[in-house]
Amino acid sequence: MSYNGYITETRIDGSDDGPLAGRSIAVKDNISTEGVPTTCGSAMLESYVPPFDATVVERLKQAGATIPGKTNMDEFGMGTTTETSAFGATENPVAQGHVPGGSSGGSAAVVAAGDADMALGTDTGGSVRCPAAFCGVVGLKPTYGLVSRYGLVAYANSLEQIGPIAPSVEEAAELLDVIAGPDERDATTRDATEHGETAYAAAADGDVDGMDIGIPTELVEGADKAVREQFWRAIDELEAEGASYHEVSLPSVEHAVEAYYVIAMSEASSNLARFDGVRYGVSGGYDGNWNETFATAREEGFGPEVKRRVLLGTYALSAGYHDKYYKKAQDARAWVKQDFDEALEEADVLASPTMPVPPFERGESLDDPLKMYLADANTTPVNLANLPAISVPAGETDDGLPVGMQFVGPAFGETDIIRAGSAL
Ligand code: GLN
């Protein structure tokens, strides 16, 4: 089955030895690769070839990995299904007729199909965890600042991180060991060793004896019945291994999706201003009027979802509306962060379904953007709070559709979520 996981197939060789020697790591197409096209799933960048490697790509090469290709994605990371790509939708290789999730759908699909050993995705509001859940593999979004964003084409820079997608928690943790750590070219990176354990692969020991799991009721109640069943079955399994759980409340998450989309679209409207056909992107020609030139480039280069978000983001930031939307969203973000911090004082990790629904049927959400946005209810709060989270397979619905379980940890507490995930 041709599921359209790659935009560009290639072979970038790494050094001869290192912890990833002999392994293939696919890279999402919004992460810069020197000499190899990096399109962000957009016609705007169809012929863009970066002159440099992202820091994570440099680290993969040094670790001995081979990069077999650049993976398909929703245009500029904007989507939950990998259907907004200018290069055609990716299909879910393990659930025919269904979407692979998004926006890193290509990365999850090539791992699920066995066409790469592992992959890198990016997660602004769930784009590593959602496709991992929908394709039945593991995906980890690191704490904001653990992994360098140098060379990542920005969508909403205050929210996003590059993260590993792999068949198992241990492999995802091995990949994290390679890409994590400070980078002088990204001033938001931190040295996590000051915050605790940083040997990620070693933490995949499955030992949850004595672990205290908080379950935010708000993130479970809204999920489909079939998803809730698999979630509670997985919790039973963890209890049998010595973990205990208690319910917690995160009242602020009711506003997380709204706050996320206001902030993400506002940042996107600013970040995507550089695609004007002069600095970057397809040329809009020139016949005496630069405004026309820019407008033509953006009209031709961007797809409908990107246009919608640039328009809404520009509106939210405009004079007179800034306080009403953007500032309110920032207040909500602070509240979400505070709620998570309080809940994590009483628990080692928090657990919820990754996605409230099983994978959509193809085409199902395209006509209804709001429906697609609301599916991000459980993932976006974690980005607002800058915390680490992992999605691991938790079972299947009666129809054989994958269900993912999300564990959220304290800032730089990646080892806690890796331990919990590896127990499942
Ligand atoms: N689905 C979310 C969005 O469309 C998340 C995307 C992402 O994490 N890149 O913005």
Side-chain angles (χ1 to χ4, degrees):
M1 165 181 138
S2 161
Y3 58 91
N4 200 26
Y6 288 109
I7 293 175
T8 304
E9 290 191 64
T10 180
R11 189 191 159 99
I12 306 173
D13 285 313
S15 67
D16 287 340
D17 52 25
L20 296 178
R23 285 196 275 178
S24 58
I25 318 285
V27 173
K28 188 177 180 179
D29 211 22
N30 57 351
I31 299 174
S32 303
T33 39
E34 184 182 350
V36 175
T38 298
T39 69
C40 296
S42 181
M44 182 64 95
L45 292 177
E46 187 161 12
S47 53
Y48 172 61
V49 179
F52 69 105
D53 277 331
T55 296
V56 292
V57 169
E58 254 176 26
R59 289 183 182 175
L60 289 184
K61 286 179 172 176
Q62 279 160 11
T66 300
I67 297 172
K70 305 294 297 290
T71 55
N72 202 3
M73 57 182 282
D74 283 300
E75 188 175 2
F76 285 102
M78 300 176 184
T80 309
T81 62
T82 314
E83 293 174 296
T84 72
S85 169
F87 304 97
T90 297
E91 290 185 47
N92 189 323
V94 301
Q96 239 189 336
H98 295 260
V99 303
S103 65
S104 315
S107 290
V110 299
V111 172
D115 287 324
D117 294 325
M118 294 187 258
L120 292 183
T122 63
D123 192 310
T124 310
S127 284
V128 161
R129 289 161 287 158
C130 160
F134 281 5
C135 292
V137 294
V138 174
L140 189 150
K141 179 203 99 69
T143 308
Y144 190 78
L146 183 67
V147 176
S148 170
R149 286 177 295 108
Y150 179 76
L152 163 64
V153 181
Y155 155 22
N157 47 284
S158 82
L159 296 160
E160 59 210 5
Q161 281 284 291
I162 295 169
I165 295 177
S168 71
V169 174
E170 187 168 7
E171 289 159 288
E174 275 180 74
L175 183 48
L176 184 62
D177 275 322
V178 168
I179 61 172
D183 175 16
E184 61 182 20
R185 292 173 298 187
D186 175 355
T188 64
T189 52
R190 292 282 173 278
D191 185 356
T193 48
E194 293 163 19
H195 300 266
E197 257 183 288
T198 55
Y200 301 119
D205 57 12
D207 181 8
V208 288
D209 197 18
M211 182 178 275
D212 196 355
I213 301 172
I215 300 182
T217 35
E218 293 87 350
L219 301 184
V220 182
E221 276 168 355
D224 276 17
K225 184 161 169 285
V227 171
R228 276 184 280 128
E229 276 169 15
Q230 295 310 313
F231 172 77
W232 287 113
R233 202 198 41 73
I235 292 289
D236 286 347
E237 212 176 298
L238 293 169
E239 256 196 313
E241 295 174 47
S244 59
Y245 75 87
H246 65 273
E247 301 203 1
V248 301
S249 177
L250 303 173
S252 64
V253 298
E254 185 192 338
H255 303 290
V257 171
E258 299 145 43
Y260 166 81
Y261 275 97
V262 170
I263 294 170
M265 290 180 189
S266 297
E267 292 186 14
S269 73
S270 169
N271 284 323
L272 271 58
R274 71 193 62 159
F275 303 106
D276 55 15
V278 175
R279 288 170 292 181
Y280 292 95
V282 291
S283 170
Y286 179 69
D287 60 5
N289 181 336
W290 283 111
N291 277 333
E292 293 285 328
T293 301
F294 297 154
T296 305
R298 293 164 74 77
E299 165 66 32
E300 287 172 3
F302 289 147
E305 184 63 26
V306 173
K307 284 177 186 156
R308 174 173 18 247
R309 295 190 188 201
V310 169
L311 288 172
L312 285 169
T314 305
Y315 179 77
L317 289 179
S318 59
Y321 291 104
H322 179 277
D323 283 3
K324 199 169 161 197
Y325 299 113
Y326 185 70
K327 195 169 168 302
K328 266 230 160 81
Q330 293 292 3
D331 288 345
R333 182 174 190 173
W335 184 21
V336 169
K337 198 164 169 28
Q338 187 187 339
D339 266 359
F340 271 98
D341 287 347
E342 280 172 19
L344 283 161
E345 273 169 28
E346 317 272 301
D348 298 308
V349 297
L350 305 179
S352 77
T354 308
M355 300 299 288
V357 290
F360 302 113
E361 282 176 26
R362 297 187 62 202
E364 193 184 331
S365 65
L366 277 182
D367 301 330
D368 188 353
L370 201 57
K371 177 175 175 184
M372 191 174 80
Y373 299 165
L374 287 170
D376 297 336
N378 290 6
T379 50
T380 53
V382 183
N383 301 72
L384 291 171
N386 292 336
L387 297 175
I390 192 169
S391 178
V392 299
E396 288 178 354
T397 66
D398 291 342
D399 309 332
L401 298 173
V403 172
M405 170 97 154
Q406 167 174 259
F407 294 102
V408 183
F412 298 101
E414 271 74 4
T415 49
D416 296 323
I417 57 172
I418 287 168
R419 198 157 272 133
S422 64
L424 275 189

